[in-house]
Amino acid sequence: MSPGGAEGGSETSSAATKKHSKKPKYSRFTQQELPACKPILTPGWVITAFIFIGVIFIPIGLASLFASRNVVEIADRYDEDCVPSIYASDTLAYIRSSQTNKSCTKTLNVPKKMKNPIYVYYQLDNFYQNHRRYVKSRSDKQLRSKANEYKTKDCSPEATVLVSNKEMPIVPCGLIAWSMFNDTYGFSLNDKAIQVNKKGIAWKSDGEYKFGSDVYPKNFQSGVIGGAKLNENIPLSQQEDLIVWMRTAALPNFRKLYGKIEVDLEVNEKITVVIQNNYNTYSFGGKKTLVLSTTSWIGGKNDFLGVAYLTVGGLCLFMAISFIFLYVVRPRPLGDPSYLSWNRNPDGLFFN
Amino acid sequence: MISILSSTPVSPVSPITNVLPLSMVLFVSLVKEAWEDWKRFQNDKTINNTSVDVLQDQKWETVSWKNLQVGDIVKVKQDGFFPADLLFLASTNADGVCYVETANLDGETNLKIRKALEKTWDYLTPEKAFEFKGEVQCEQPNNSLYTFTGNLIIEKQTLPLSPNQLLLRGCSLRNTEYIIGAVVFTGHETKVMMNSMNVPSKRSTLERKLDRLILTLFVVLFCMCLIGAIGSGVFLDRKYFFLGLRGPALSADMNPSNRFVVALLNMFTLITLYSPIIPISLYVSVEMIKFIQSTQYINNDLHMYHVETNTPALARTSNLNEELGQVEYIFSDKTGTLTRNLMEFFKCSIGGELYGTGVTEIEMGEAQRNGIKVDEVHKSSNTVREKGFNFDDARLMRGAWRNEPNPDMCKEFFRCLAICHTVLPEGEETPEKIRYQAASPDEAALVAAAKNFGFFFYRRTPTLIYVRESHVEKMGKVQDVPYEILNVLEFNSTRKRQSVVCRYPDGRLVLYCKGADTVIYERLAEGNNDLKKTSREHLEQYGAAGLRTLCLAYRDLCSDTYENWNEKFIQAKSSLRDREKKLDEVAELIEKDLVLIGCTAIEDKLQEGVPTCIETLARAGIKIWVLTGDKMETAINIAYACKLINNDMKQFIISSETDDIREVESRGDQVEIARYMRDAVKNQLKKCHDDAQNYLRSLSPPKLALVIDGKCLMYALDPSLRVMLLNLSLNCTSVVCCRVSPLQKAQVTSLVKKGARKITLSIGDGANDVSMIQAAHVGVGISGLEGMQAVMASDFAIAQFRFLTDLLLVHGRWSYLRICKVVTYFFYKNLTFTLTQFWYTFQTGFSGQRFYDDWFQSLYNVIFTALPVIMVGLFDKDVSASLSKKYPELYKEGIRNTFFKWRVVATLAFFALYQSLIVYNFVIASSTNSVDSSGKMFGLWDVSTMAFNCIVVTVNLRLLMMCDTITRWHHISVGGSILAWFMFILVYSGVYTPRGIYSVFYVLISTVYFYTTLLVVPIVALFGDFLFQGVQRWFFPYDYQIVQEMHRHEPDSSSAGLLEIGNQLTPDEARSFAVAQLPREKSKHTGFAFDSPGYESFFASQAGVLAPQKPWDVARRASMRSRAKTPRKN
């Protein structure tokens, strides 16, 4: 603008309409006038929200608790019982020795009728499948395709093995596979063996995509033996035990599916289990538990969700009631200007 | 650093995922920087390409500024800016002088004379100039604007050069057709550029606090890592055979034989693992938000667009938006900022009769407060408005005064106005074209008023004043009357009055006197008490209305008395010692027994809406200090006018204008003066301080005001007294510092900034405000006028002082709220996320196994939670703009920093902790058994994906909970973020990658568990927040929440206010008779209109020494008639 322009006198309204007007254009965005809803968390809203949540949650909680209670679960810890008493003081020697008899027979009582399918789990405690060193010690590439046999970068120390002075890859490589669980369970009812179906215990996608059908175990467990051995004639994609094991658990206490029993078990029937107690959890004080469980729509026996829903729902209802109570006892009129800090008595109380 | 760490083998995550977000962050900030640079470059380009005439081969060639070289001969035309520091060679004016305006440099609007060396006067034409051969020897480029030494060697003669021959870049040429100069310094070597120090980069207080928060986070991170590291060292054991801790190749971080190394290395692992706790993207998000806020909101706000000067607001930096929401002290310049530097004859009282119907800003504000509607009456006489005259009363105009009760009194009144002054007329001798040159705009306004009343002063000779009088003898008759001026008794700050002894053509001898009411009333003749009383009342009314008043009086002299006196006067005038003092004494002899005529009221025109704005800001808890170079009276008057000071306030005045100080000064011993001043200031300060303490201890403490002048300030700023000054001034609601130099302005600003640790804002329009603007936390420049120095130094530029209301109360407050929300939210979401990871560490033998997939972790900040928080930063507002201004008290929440206290942060941290525990434990606990009827179990990645799922949903919903307004963009962004996560995971787990994550999500959604958990976890996690917010709102509501509730049924009303903007009425239009006739408040303070706004030289005030008042040298000024223009208002 020319210096004299401002005092030109005649330009008042014409200046605004001039071509060079710097007047900002109106838009709802720049003037910050976008349409908006202005939610105010009034007591009414708070109470309504609480009641709403309460009303929804309590039925869900009841339903899931009910479902969870209907699940029948037998859990039997056997790691201690299955060590002969002469080895009680030296469990390590027992488990490491290849000479000792690892068989162990246990009898389980069925507390309630269990409808098939009954799922057989083994549960390990204090087993850090989620340890950083452990989790990464695998080669997904190798598991998937024969072509990637040599991709054993992360698998150390179970990556390669010297076969006639040649570094040969271990398939499947890594600590996870190497330490695979190798206890076995044989079930019988009244001396009649019960078949355990080991098919379909892994998530379908694992078997189909993660583990190749052309990958066969090679050089596996040829050094220090960590756990189960694999049949070198079956491709990995069909070794479901391995697939289940390789889906590492999130917590150090975990269950893994062993198989399915496809017969119903009646109340008070006694099941005999013959356990081949091969797996070493004794060195680190881990527990081994055999679990038989039915499922419901929410899965296995787990009251947690049901209780959580019920608690939250109840708490919400309680809060709603206490808010209503407070509202009656100590009402605050909405938008009362006397509550503004500058209208308030400087040393006055908040509520009066 | 974390990126580097992540590329080392200790890292639990792959490097790419850490590098990617970082590089995105860097990229965005790079783009922003580049854009700002580009804008700066454009700016530079326009300046660089301004053209100037340069002598080439005896012709003037137009060359752009950037091609100018030292030694070029250039021609600068009238009103042009000097492109470089020039050596002044020749000018079209006689005597080789030219006039320059230095407003850009020092804010002074009076023209300065530069004189070329006589030797070079002739080099005016290109032919002649081409022959100019000379050599300039001069000092190195430096930043001193007022010194220059050098020699010009022409024709083997060495001529000394002084600042008088130097035309500085940035100044402009006035009243001279053109000048010829030789370029001495160019570009960055010019004195202006050397002066423009690097603008100190300002960071907002909130950001600095944010740094501390980040630092705290680092400490938390370190602690978490330390816990993890110790744990890992303890945990690792060969007994866990499945970890394969054997063999010679065992890496050090897993070797149980050396647990210390394990712990140490694990520490680094954990640092990378927990690194998301540090919100890297926070800074870039906040910058982005602020950038949009400033460029889109502040720059485009129609409320801050000034139609008259066609100036929108301008945010020159985007760093300080939220600082605007926390300002507690405003330091304001007076002239040009609060006032328009425009004096207008506004009202008068003649013989006890009130004239003038105008309504001042202050009265308007008063009336509006009392609920009286101001009718917007458009005056028909608007068309004949003249500068300096804003008076409308038909009773006095066009000779109508003859019918008034006191026509003789009116005649004397007008004559007094027309004769008793030291104004020089300029230009054609017609009422329309004439221009008055006056020392102060007040005087010009008075003479202009006389002209409008029909007493047209049109010519002055050393002895005569010619007045063209209309309607005197009878209506319509015009006659030219020459009055012989016998003596002029000068105005000065002690006398506070000015008198002229004149002889009418018919021989009548009269002394006309005008001056401050106090001094005139002392010298009035006995009797006529009614008139004195009514006039006194009128004066008080004017004072209350913020007008500057003068009393007019006359005295008929008989020739004997006069002759007697005149002898003494001549004696005194010719005396060599103490002439000033003697003249004053002689003047006393004749300035007595005066007859009161009436009084005038001049409006020192405030900028539009200033009193209202100041009042609003005061209600917002902001304290406003006026720092001005003006005299104390002017400053106090304006403070009254702006409602900064009122009569209920207890005033403390620390002034150097006391008799004893003056006496010491007259002795002239500098050391003695300094010593005496220091003691005097110390005593005054101590007394005021003690008084203030006493007042504050009283039951209903009055409001306090402090007025201090620059000279006292110089001593008060001494380190020994500084603390007392600070204490005193912080106890005062308003502080006025007058006669302060630019440097002192900056010192006062930093005193409060550093001493009191309050957030300060400086606002000013001139170059003399630059230092203050740069010293304050936030500098605001008044734009739209010529001087750009203040704007260039400022952080924000607005066209009017009143826009501060919008800038602070609306933009500042919102920005503060938004940034607080953004920052705390970032803090919360990253903490929540990282804590879940931390809890997991305990379950993994402290190995540093990541809970989440790499990509989850890195995209969490960048995609899944980034956009909604930006929406909050842009769109959230607690109450609408109009409500923000209606309830300025809401601003106090910002001053108190209510929303970014450690307590707020701690509350959020607590909820982050709670939520992370809920999310982690719920997800873990509900997945310990098989999760659907197929009996299959979840693995690590299933659980972690589920947990991440819950986190994303929770964190995004939490954002909605803290919004005060929810626009569709909120819905889109929150919904979009959650959707983006699901889309991502669908694709990511759907496409095969050699990772655990493959197909996980499909497994998840096939289970009931997924849905039941997803429903319960966010609700439980947010339950605590919801409860907290409900209780807080109900029992401990914030002010803004009450205001929200009060206006909950109203639609956003700010768009209605927009309609007014188009035809905003000027105050002149908005005046009305209704308000004029209101019962008036009376003020004991009557402003006093003779103290001109200080035009003392820049040096003098800087040194803290008053320049002596120059006798009004009519003859000298008469020789400067060639000045074509009046000083421009600055």
Side-chain angles (χ1 to χ4, degrees), chain B residues 923-962:
Chain B
V923 171
I924 290 287
S926 56
S927 65
T928 50
N929 212 324
S930 68
V931 288
D932 72 350
S933 49
S934 75
K936 290 166 193 153
M937 294 294 301
F938 272 173
L940 163 62
W941 302 116
D942 308 278
V943 176
S944 76
T945 306
M946 188 65 222
F948 192 76
N949 219 341
C950 293
I951 293 242
V952 169
V953 173
T954 307
V955 160
N956 275 305
L957 289 182
R958 175 68 175 74
L959 181 105
L960 278 187
M961 277 177 62
M962 64 176 209

Coordinates of all heavy atoms in Angstrom, one line a residue, chain B residues 923-962:
Chain B
V923 N -6.8 -58.8 29.0 CA -6.5 -59.6 27.8 C -5.8 -60.9 28.1 O -6.1 -62.0 27.7 CB -5.8 -58.8 26.8 CG1 -5.3 -59.6 25.6 CG2 -6.6 -57.6 26.3
I924 N -4.8 -60.7 29.0 CA -4.0 -61.9 29.4 C -4.9 -62.9 30.1 O -5.0 -64.1 29.8 CB -2.9 -61.5 30.3 CG1 -1.8 -60.7 29.5 CG2 -2.3 -62.7 31.0 CD1 -1.0 -61.6 28.6
A925 N -5.7 -62.4 31.1 CA -6.4 -63.3 32.0 C -7.5 -64.0 31.2 O -7.8 -65.2 31.5 CB -7.0 -62.5 33.2
S926 N -8.1 -63.3 30.3 CA -9.2 -64.0 29.6 C -8.7 -64.9 28.5 O -9.5 -65.6 27.8 CB -10.1 -62.9 29.0 OG -9.3 -62.1 28.1
S927 N -7.4 -65.0 28.3 CA -6.9 -65.9 27.2 C -6.1 -67.0 27.7 O -5.4 -67.7 27.0 CB -6.1 -65.1 26.2 OG -4.9 -64.6 26.9
T928 N -6.2 -67.3 29.0 CA -5.4 -68.4 29.6 C -5.9 -69.8 29.2 O -5.2 -70.8 29.2 CB -5.3 -68.3 31.1 OG1 -6.6 -68.2 31.6 CG2 -4.5 -67.2 31.6
N929 N -7.2 -69.8 28.9 CA -7.7 -71.1 28.5 C -8.1 -71.0 27.0 O -8.0 -70.0 26.4 CB -9.0 -71.4 29.3 CG -9.1 -72.8 29.6 OD1 -8.8 -73.6 28.7 ND2 -9.6 -73.2 30.7
S930 N -8.6 -72.1 26.5 CA -9.0 -72.1 25.1 C -10.1 -71.1 24.9 O -10.8 -70.8 25.8 CB -9.4 -73.5 24.7 OG -10.6 -73.8 25.3
V931 N -10.1 -70.5 23.8 CA -10.9 -69.4 23.6 C -12.1 -69.6 22.7 O -12.9 -68.7 22.4 CB -10.1 -68.2 23.1 CG1 -9.2 -67.7 24.1 CG2 -9.4 -68.6 21.8
D932 N -12.2 -70.8 22.1 CA -13.5 -71.0 21.4 C -13.8 -72.5 21.5 O -13.0 -73.3 22.1 CB -13.4 -70.5 20.0 CG -12.6 -71.4 19.1 OD1 -11.8 -72.2 19.7 OD2 -12.6 -71.2 17.9
S933 N -14.8 -72.9 20.9 CA -15.3 -74.3 21.2 C -14.4 -75.3 20.5 O -14.5 -76.5 20.7 CB -16.7 -74.4 20.7 OG -16.8 -73.9 19.4
S934 N -13.4 -74.9 19.7 CA -12.6 -75.8 19.0 C -11.4 -76.2 19.9 O -10.6 -77.1 19.6 CB -12.0 -75.2 17.7 OG -11.0 -74.3 18.1
G935 N -11.3 -75.6 21.1 CA -10.4 -76.0 22.1 C -8.9 -75.6 21.8 O -8.0 -75.9 22.5
K936 N -8.7 -74.9 20.7 CA -7.3 -74.5 20.4 C -6.9 -73.3 21.3 O -7.7 -72.5 21.8 CB -7.3 -74.1 18.9 CG -7.4 -75.3 18.0 CD -7.7 -74.8 16.6 CE -8.2 -76.0 15.7 NZ -9.0 -75.5 14.6
M937 N -5.6 -73.2 21.4 CA -5.1 -72.2 22.3 C -4.5 -71.0 21.5 O -4.0 -71.2 20.4 CB -4.0 -72.8 23.2 CG -4.5 -73.8 24.1 SD -5.5 -73.2 25.4 CE -4.5 -72.0 26.2
F938 N -4.4 -69.9 22.2 CA -3.8 -68.7 21.5 C -2.3 -68.7 21.8 O -1.8 -69.3 22.8 CB -4.3 -67.4 22.2 CG -5.6 -66.9 21.5 CD1 -6.3 -65.9 22.0 CD2 -6.0 -67.5 20.3 CE1 -7.4 -65.4 21.4 CE2 -7.2 -67.0 19.7 CZ -7.8 -66.0 20.2
G939 N -1.6 -68.2 20.8 CA -0.2 -68.0 21.0 C 0.1 -66.5 21.4 O -0.8 -65.7 21.5
L940 N 1.4 -66.2 21.5 CA 1.8 -64.9 21.8 C 1.2 -63.8 21.0 O 0.7 -62.8 21.4 CB 3.3 -64.8 21.8 CG 4.0 -63.5 21.7 CD1 3.7 -62.6 23.0 CD2 5.5 -63.6 21.6
W941 N 1.2 -64.0 19.7 CA 0.8 -63.0 18.7 C -0.7 -62.8 18.7 O -1.1 -61.6 18.5 CB 1.4 -63.2 17.3 CG 2.8 -63.4 17.3 CD1 3.6 -64.5 17.0 CD2 3.8 -62.4 17.8 NE1 4.9 -64.2 17.2 CE2 5.1 -62.9 17.7 CE3 3.7 -61.0 18.2 CZ2 6.2 -62.2 18.0 CZ3 4.8 -60.3 18.5 CH2 6.1 -60.9 18.4
D942 N -1.4 -63.8 19.0 CA -2.8 -63.6 19.1 C -3.2 -62.7 20.3 O -4.0 -61.8 20.1 CB -3.5 -65.0 19.3 CG -3.0 -66.0 18.3 OD1 -3.5 -66.0 17.2 OD2 -2.1 -66.8 18.6
V943 N -2.6 -63.0 21.4 CA -2.8 -62.2 22.6 C -2.4 -60.8 22.4 O -3.1 -59.8 22.7 CB -2.1 -62.8 23.8 CG1 -2.3 -62.0 25.0 CG2 -2.6 -64.2 24.1
S944 N -1.2 -60.6 21.8 CA -0.7 -59.2 21.7 C -1.6 -58.5 20.7 O -1.9 -57.3 20.9 CB 0.7 -59.2 21.3 OG 0.9 -59.5 19.9
T945 N -2.0 -59.1 19.6 CA -2.8 -58.4 18.7 C -4.1 -58.0 19.3 O -4.6 -56.9 19.1 CB -3.1 -59.3 17.4 OG1 -1.9 -59.7 16.9 CG2 -3.9 -58.5 16.4
M946 N -4.7 -58.9 20.1 CA -5.9 -58.5 20.9 C -5.7 -57.3 21.8 O -6.5 -56.4 21.8 CB -6.3 -59.7 21.7 CG -7.6 -59.6 22.4 SD -8.9 -59.5 21.1 CE -9.9 -58.3 21.8
A947 N -4.5 -57.4 22.5 CA -4.3 -56.3 23.4 C -4.1 -54.9 22.6 O -4.6 -53.9 23.0 CB -3.0 -56.6 24.2
F948 N -3.4 -55.0 21.5 CA -3.2 -53.8 20.7 C -4.5 -53.3 20.2 O -4.8 -52.1 20.2 CB -2.3 -54.1 19.5 CG -1.8 -52.9 18.8 CD1 -0.8 -52.1 19.4 CD2 -2.4 -52.5 17.6 CE1 -0.4 -51.0 18.8 CE2 -1.9 -51.4 17.0 CZ -0.9 -50.6 17.6
N949 N -5.4 -54.2 19.8 CA -6.7 -53.9 19.4 C -7.4 -53.1 20.4 O -8.0 -52.0 20.2 CB -7.4 -55.3 19.4 CG -8.3 -55.4 18.2 OD1 -8.7 -54.3 17.7 ND2 -8.7 -56.6 17.9
C950 N -7.4 -53.6 21.7 CA -8.1 -52.9 22.7 C -7.4 -51.5 23.0 O -8.1 -50.5 23.2 CB -8.0 -53.7 24.0 SG -8.9 -55.2 23.9
I951 N -6.1 -51.5 22.9 CA -5.5 -50.2 23.1 C -5.9 -49.1 22.1 O -6.2 -48.0 22.4 CB -3.9 -50.3 23.1 CG1 -3.5 -51.2 24.2 CG2 -3.2 -49.0 23.1 CD1 -2.5 -50.6 25.2
V952 N -5.9 -49.5 20.9 CA -6.2 -48.6 19.8 C -7.6 -48.1 20.0 O -7.9 -46.9 20.0 CB -6.1 -49.2 18.4 CG1 -6.7 -48.3 17.4 CG2 -4.6 -49.4 18.1
V953 N -8.5 -49.0 20.3 CA -9.9 -48.6 20.5 C -10.0 -47.7 21.8 O -10.6 -46.6 21.7 CB -10.8 -49.8 20.6 CG1 -12.2 -49.4 21.0 CG2 -10.9 -50.5 19.3
T954 N -9.4 -48.1 22.8 CA -9.5 -47.4 24.1 C -9.0 -46.0 23.9 O -9.6 -45.0 24.3 CB -8.7 -48.1 25.2 OG1 -9.1 -49.4 25.2 CG2 -8.9 -47.4 26.5
V955 N -7.8 -45.9 23.4 CA -7.1 -44.6 23.3 C -7.9 -43.7 22.4 O -8.0 -42.5 22.6 CB -5.7 -44.9 22.8 CG1 -5.1 -43.6 22.2 CG2 -4.8 -45.4 23.9
N956 N -8.4 -44.2 21.3 CA -9.2 -43.3 20.4 C -10.5 -42.9 21.1 O -10.9 -41.7 20.9 CB -9.4 -44.0 19.1 CG -8.3 -43.8 18.1 OD1 -7.9 -42.7 17.9 ND2 -7.7 -44.9 17.7
L957 N -11.1 -43.8 21.8 CA -12.3 -43.4 22.5 C -12.1 -42.3 23.6 O -12.8 -41.4 23.8 CB -13.1 -44.6 23.0 CG -13.7 -45.5 22.0 CD1 -14.4 -46.6 22.7 CD2 -14.7 -44.7 21.1
R958 N -10.9 -42.5 24.2 CA -10.5 -41.6 25.3 C -10.4 -40.2 24.7 O -10.7 -39.2 25.4 CB -9.2 -42.1 25.9 CG -8.6 -41.1 26.9 CD -9.5 -41.1 28.1 NE -8.9 -40.3 29.2 CZ -8.8 -39.0 29.2 NH1 -9.3 -38.3 28.2 NH2 -8.2 -38.3 30.2
L959 N -10.0 -40.1 23.5 CA -9.8 -38.8 22.8 C -11.2 -38.2 22.7 O -11.4 -37.0 23.0 CB -9.2 -39.0 21.5 CG -9.0 -37.6 20.8 CD1 -7.6 -37.2 20.8 CD2 -9.6 -37.6 19.4
L960 N -12.2 -38.9 22.3 CA -13.5 -38.4 22.1 C -14.0 -37.9 23.5 O -14.7 -36.9 23.6 CB -14.5 -39.4 21.6 CG -14.5 -39.6 20.1 CD1 -15.6 -40.5 19.7 CD2 -14.6 -38.3 19.4
M961 N -13.6 -38.6 24.5 CA -14.1 -38.2 25.9 C -13.6 -36.8 26.3 O -14.2 -36.2 27.1 CB -13.7 -39.2 26.9 CG -14.7 -40.4 26.9 SD -14.2 -41.6 28.1 CE -14.2 -40.7 29.6
M962 N -12.4 -36.5 25.8 CA -11.9 -35.2 26.3 C -12.2 -34.0 25.3 O -11.7 -32.9 25.5 CB -10.4 -35.3 26.5 CG -9.6 -35.6 25.3 SD -7.9 -35.5 25.8 CE -7.1 -35.0 24.3

